[in-house]
Amino acid sequence: AEVVVEGDGERVSAEMQGTILSVGVEEGEEVAAGDVVCVLEAMKMENDVVTERGGTVTQVLIEEGDSVDMDDVLVVLE
């Protein structure tokens, strides 16, 4: 299923293929630059996925256990 990303907010994307171990944010939440939005397991390593800048989470497009590909959008900020 194609994911529809609304608006032109910042997209936090997967830097590698892997599995989502945990999601650390929810829609409507305020985040600061460097906040961890989720933990991605790739090649037996846990990788924190962080925001480049602060904002409000407008979309969370993942849940625990999801498999993601590189460049998949995980979270959108405004």
Side-chain angles (χ1 to χ4, degrees):
E2 173 118 7
V3 172
V4 177
V5 180
E6 297 166 5
D8 56 1
E10 182 194 343
R11 290 153 168 73
V12 180
S13 301
E15 293 175 9
M16 62 197 77
Q17 186 175 4
T19 304
I20 303 299
L21 293 181
S22 64
V23 179
V25 294
E26 51 190 50
E27 292 180 9
E29 190 176 327
E30 292 284 333
V31 295
D35 281 1
V36 176
V37 295
C38 67
V39 178
L40 179 66
E41 193 244 333
M43 298 175 288
K44 308 263 187 276
M45 301 266 301
E46 291 185 15
N47 302 279
D48 289 345
V49 178
V50 300
T51 57
E52 296 281 317
R53 62 180 176 81
T56 302
V57 177
T58 55
Q59 287 182 283
V60 177
L61 305 170
I62 47 163
E63 40 188 59
E64 272 180 48
D66 281 358
S67 291
V68 295
D69 289 322
M70 189 170 165
D71 296 329
D72 279 3
V73 176
L74 309 177
V75 175
V76 181
L77 304 179
E78 205 154 82

